[in-house]
Amino acid sequence: MELKGVNFIGNELSADGKETFKGVDPATDKKLLPDFHEASSHEIDEAINKAELAFTEYSKKNGKEKALFLETIAEEILVLGDDLLERCNKETGLPHSRLTGERGRTVNQLKLFAELLKEGSWVEARIETAIHDRQPLPKPDIRSMYKAIGPVGIFGASNFPLAFSVAGGDTASALAAGCTVIFKAHPAHPGTCELVASAIIKAVQKTNMPDGTFSMVHGRSTDVGMAIVNHPFIKAVGFTGSYKGGKAIYDAAVKRPEPVPVYAEMGSSNPVFILPGALKERKEEIAKGLAASVTLGVGQFCTNPGLVFLEESKETKEFQKYAVENFVNADAGTMLTSGIQNAYQNGIKSIAGKQGVQLLAEGKTGNAVGEGRAYLFQTNADNFLNNENLEEEIFGPSTLTVKAKSKSELLKAAHKLHGHLTITLHATKEDLENYKDLISILERKAGRLIINGFPTGVEVCHSMVHGGPFPATTDSRTSSVGTLAINRFVRPVSYQNFPDELLPDELKNDNPLGIWRMVNGERKR
Ligand code: NAP
């Protein structure tokens, strides 16, 4: 499949912008053909105008029509076959096995949203019927449901070139909600972006969705992304990426004349607490699992466990011995981009130079172009409590163990934590009984709490919360993975005293869609 290096302004291919760039193979640092055209401000404006026009028609599509659209996107992604995996492997250095799995996840999350739409109850229909003779005033008929918010701007991350990119969870949830989408392609995998965008456009055409339902623009300069965020027709933004990027976009969106919500899912260091009983029973197994989780995908996961808390004891020393053994044997691997590799090396230099932090182990060398090496550090809880920077994410295969002198010091460290995507506990039944106070602190600190597992690997399902308090995200009330993600791109609308024929089907008297609704306070189908 030949790449064209173009932007998708709705269904139209466009290459007006004078600035061009190439994809890069991170394993060799060699540039890849073709040239990709950065979107001009005219193209961005055109894409957003089309999205605004298309919104009126697309947002009225019923659940079955939108479901067919999402299923067709999934099919068209699979039709791209090995061309997609090969280009993606070249641009990211991620192995075929990982990319095959990630493509499966991308396709399955589109299908999961399609199922949600066909079932239909996600709109949270509420009906309160009129009481004409109520005293002192009659009660009107009021019905409400979630409606799509408007055209949405979406930014993908470099570390999930399929599942958090063009047709990833943010796009799937926005399209499912009934929003039109303008996607800012990630410059680390522009060819992958073009292939997936072409699959979406084919699905738009096959299922007769309006031109402008989906657009994708390229850009290495942050101007392209900011032009999307600042456009008056954009009504919400979905972002996955770094804290720096997410916070800049959030700040811009709240300063707009009309501020709009930004759902930025950012970095996290995903603390792991190893409680005394579990440490005693399973130290070798936990050390092995921890090293595997930290080094998985060269540590380039937002759920990578970058902090490990435990109480000082003779068991701690043995645990550390096992952890060191696993870390020194860990292979280095190609990182996604030279920028990420540089940031990782700078992060390692910075933490290694901090007072009170000791390097415990280095993995096998990572001297080949683009490689990242595993690192294990340690410090004590007192140092952690007095140092603001030790909690920051270092994006790559490293972790910092923090030893507390006592349970009360461990609780203090837990109190100090800011928001994270996940927090993990390794614990026996007895530990869980003895550390209830720790669990109630941690519930306020993360979107997902895990017992006796590791945070890498995020199940895509109805109950997943992939979010968490700031700075893990800019809005902790929702999730960017799983079907809860749809709530980010809707707003509730009430219809008062509407004649039945003018109401959306979801709110009509005879419930033609057969969905679950709350009718006069009672949940009914
Ligand atoms: P990134 O550098 O922040 O890039 C993400 C996107 O945002 C890119 O399209 C980038 O465009 C754009 N961007 C960044 N800064 C911007 C700014 N100031 N103004 C406008 N646009 C801006 O992140 P990444 O390297 O792709 O991903 C790695 C990070 O993502 C890690 O920290 C990881 O933990 C996090 N992540 C989080 C999740 C999650 O679910 N929470 C999932 C995956 C990754 P340009 O490249 O053109 O600047």
Side-chain angles (χ1 to χ4, degrees):
M1 241 164 273
E2 203 190 322
L3 291 169
K4 299 188 173 73
V6 292
N7 298 286
F8 293 74
I9 310 305
N11 297 354
E12 216 172 288
L13 307 188
S14 177
D16 279 359
K18 291 197 177 48
E19 294 293 321
T20 61
F21 68 99
K22 288 189 171 73
V24 177
D25 179 344
T28 58
D29 209 25
K30 293 226 166 74
K31 295 210 162 123
L32 301 164
L33 288 171
D35 284 328
F36 286 86
H37 289 260
E38 295 208 9
S40 64
S41 46
H42 173 71
E43 285 170 318
I44 299 167
D45 198 43
E46 194 56 25
I48 299 174
N49 286 334
K50 272 190 167 188
E52 170 70 10
L53 282 175
F55 179 76
T56 313
E57 186 184 333
Y58 181 68
S59 60
K60 291 199 178 74
K61 298 282 178 190
N62 65 38
K64 278 196 188 133
E65 290 168 315
K66 285 186 288 174
L68 180 65
F69 175 41
L70 297 187
E71 285 162 351
T72 310
I73 297 175
E75 276 164 26
E76 291 296 332
I77 290 173
L78 292 176
V79 168
L80 294 169
D82 285 348
D83 284 358
L84 175 64
L85 302 183
E86 270 155 33
R87 177 71 193 195
C88 196
N89 163 265
K90 274 256 166 300
E91 289 183 331
T92 63
L94 295 171
H96 276 263
S97 52
R98 147 80 195 269
L99 293 174
T100 307
E102 195 179 322
R103 179 180 60 181
R105 172 178 168 167
T106 309
V107 162
N108 287 339
Q109 66 197 11
L110 285 158
K111 290 183 182 164
L112 185 69
F113 277 108
E115 291 308 314
L116 186 82
L117 294 176
K118 284 189 260 186
E119 196 280 328
S121 307
W122 71 273
V123 297
E124 290 286 331
R126 288 159 182 247
I127 296 175
E128 294 264 335
T129 48
I131 307 175
H132 300 294
D133 57 359
R134 190 182 68 173
Q135 293 301 329
L137 287 172
K139 179 181 173 187
D141 182 287
I142 305 181
R143 304 176 183 218
S144 71
M145 64 178 278
Y146 285 136
K147 302 285 284 180
I149 199 167
V152 168
I154 290 180
F155 294 74
S158 59
N159 60 340
F160 280 96
L162 301 172
F164 277 95
S165 190
V166 184
D170 284 340
T171 302
S173 53
L175 291 176
C179 296
T180 50
V181 167
I182 292 91
F183 188 85
K184 156 66 177 60
H186 200 297
H189 53 271
T192 307
C193 288
E194 180 176 318
L195 290 170
V196 178
S198 70
I200 299 182
I201 295 302
K202 275 197 187 130
V204 167
Q205 291 165 333
K206 277 192 174 172
T207 58
N208 293 319
M209 295 299 161
D211 183 7
T213 300
F214 177 84
S215 290
M216 186 189 82
V217 290
H218 288 288
R220 272 174 321 166
S221 117
T222 53
D223 295 352
V224 172
M226 283 305 177
I228 298 174
V229 174
N230 285 315
H231 198 288
F233 287 157
I234 292 293
K235 296 298 175 211
V237 176
F239 170 94
T240 304
S242 60
Y243 172 78
K244 198 167 138 250
K247 185 66 168 49
I249 285 167
Y250 176 84
D251 289 345
V254 295
K255 282 193 198 122
R256 287 173 33 140
E258 178 197 343
V260 291
V262 173
Y263 299 100
E265 305 286 327
M266 304 179 287
S268 175
S269 43
N270 304 296
V272 174
F273 287 77
I274 309 174
L275 301 185
L279 193 66
K280 199 166 178 190
E281 275 181 14
R282 296 186 287 115
K283 52 183 116 28
E284 191 171 354
E285 181 194 327
I286 297 172
K288 192 172 168 203
L290 175 72
S293 182
V294 170
T295 56
L296 188 71
V298 204
Q300 299 163 115
F301 287 117
C302 46
T303 50
N304 185 54
L307 272 177
V308 180
F309 293 92
L310 19 74
E311 281 170 46
E312 185 116 46
S313 69
K314 90 171 193 331
E315 311 285 348
T316 322
K317 287 203 181 71
E318 283 176 45
F319 166 79
Q320 258 169 359
K321 185 183 83 162
Y322 292 127
V324 166
E325 275 168 24
N326 281 286
F327 271 80
V328 293
N329 287 317
D331 288 323
T334 306
M335 300 199 81
L336 290 155
T337 64
S338 56
I340 286 179
Q341 188 201 28
N342 285 339
Y344 178 57
Q345 283 168 348
N346 290 338
I348 293 298
K349 256 186 225 149
S350 157
I351 191 167
K354 289 218 157 77
Q355 216 181 349
V357 175
Q358 295 95 41
L359 174 65
L360 288 182
E362 282 173 286
K364 292 185 186 162
T365 47
N367 297 331
V369 178
E371 279 194 344
R373 181 179 193 182
Y375 289 90
L376 175 67
F377 294 97
Q378 76 162 358
T379 192
N380 61 42
D382 187 45
N383 197 34
F384 178 80
L385 286 164
N386 292 305
N387 193 327
E388 279 310 313
N389 303 325
L390 291 178
E391 198 176 343
E392 276 171 21
E393 178 192 42
I394 298 176
F395 192 59
S398 81
T399 199
L400 171 68
T401 56
V402 181
K403 285 192 282 185
K405 283 200 280 302
S406 60
K407 179 182 172 192
S408 77
E409 204 181 35
L410 191 79
L411 294 184
K412 262 194 212 155
H415 258 300
K416 190 203 170 221
L417 288 175
H418 56 50
H420 290 270
L421 293 169
T422 72
I423 294 183
T424 301
L425 287 155
H426 279 276
T428 58
K429 215 171 154 198
E430 205 186 358
D431 287 331
L432 292 175
E433 199 51 47
N434 296 339
Y435 283 77
K436 279 189 178 148
D437 39 3
L438 174 65
I439 297 173
S440 52
I441 297 169
L442 299 182
E443 271 174 345
R444 295 188 58 192
K445 306 283 184 178
R448 178 164 59 113
L449 298 174
I450 301 151
I451 289 185
N452 294 335
F454 288 96
T456 38
V458 183
E459 186 71 30
V460 181
C461 62
H462 299 300
S463 50
M464 174 51 70
V465 174
H466 187 65
F470 186 83
T473 77
T474 50
D475 194 325
S476 64
R477 291 167 296 177
T478 177
S479 170
S480 74
V481 174
T483 52
L484 265 180
I486 200 169
N487 294 346
R488 300 173 302 168
F489 303 121
V490 292
R491 63 189 183 89
V493 179
S494 273
Y495 298 84
Q496 188 165 330
N497 287 340
F498 261 51
D500 199 54
E501 63 277 14
L502 278 190
L503 284 166
D505 282 352
E506 289 86 346
L507 298 176
K508 286 195 162 96
N509 285 334
D510 59 358
N511 194 9
L513 302 175
I515 59 172
W516 284 100
R517 316 192 290 185
M518 191 191 280
V519 182
N520 295 326
E522 215 183 298
R523 245 178 137 70
K524 286 190 182 168
R525 200 158 211 166

